[in-house]
Amino acid sequence: QVHLLESGGGSVRPGESLRLSCAASGFTDEFYNSGCMAWFRQAPGREREPVAYIYIYSGNDRLADSVRGRFTISQDSTLNTVFLQMNRLKPEDTAMYYCAATKQSCRLREDRFDHWGQGTQVIVSS
């Protein structure tokens, strides 16, 4: 059974940085061979939106337009942990951030992913 555990959220001021982590367990070979991990976020009163994804086997990634140039996604050498480095944070980045995984190829679409973590809260406020 796949389990995803996010950490690293917190409360920061505009312009500061945070690094989120997502530790995965239970991946089968299918995940490592062709799967994808991603970050989504959901702000109060808004729908969940994609932030970034990364192919588990290659490390190729893509970021949403709203965060490109400020956020980066990466993974560790075990391929079981994915990071979201968030720089120059803005108040509009305030949201619950969720980690997701799929055996399928990456898409910046919520319905692509069938494994989700519980989320970690990010608050950006002065």
Side-chain angles (χ1 to χ4, degrees):
Q1 184 175 358
V2 173
H3 183 65
L4 304 173
L5 181 63
E6 303 98 332
S7 62
S11 183
V12 297
R13 297 183 185 278
E16 294 184 342
S17 300
L18 277 175
R19 188 192 197 202
L20 306 184
S21 298
C22 173
S25 59
F27 278 172
T28 62
D29 287 345
E30 290 175 281
F31 284 92
Y32 295 114
N33 293 338
S34 60
C36 179
M37 292 184 73
W39 287 97
F40 288 75
R41 67 184 182 184
Q42 187 169 21
R46 302 188 65 176
E47 294 187 353
R48 190 152 56 184
E49 64 175 1
V51 176
Y53 67 59
I54 187 166
Y55 278 95
I56 296 172
Y57 64 95
S58 69
N60 290 339
D61 64 82
R62 179 181 174 186
L63 294 146
D65 291 344
S66 58
V67 303
R68 190 173 298 121
R70 299 187 298 123
F71 292 10
T72 58
I73 186 170
S74 62
Q75 58 189 0
D76 72 351
S77 59
T78 70
L79 306 185
N80 290 326
T81 301
V82 169
F83 306 101
L84 185 69
Q85 179 66 44
M86 305 186 295
N87 298 327
R88 304 199 306 277
L89 282 160
K90 304 176 181 180
E92 51 263 45
D93 295 318
T94 295
M96 183 71 79
Y97 283 71
Y98 296 92
C99 179
T102 179
K103 297 177 185 178
Q104 304 180 75
S105 58
C106 292
R107 294 287 187 276
L108 282 177
R109 291 175 45 174
E110 185 175 349
D111 61 2
R112 192 70 167 184
F113 296 86
D114 40 23
H115 302 281
W116 294 85
Q118 294 299 307
T120 185
Q121 182 71 51
V122 172
I123 298 173
V124 185
S125 175
S126 56

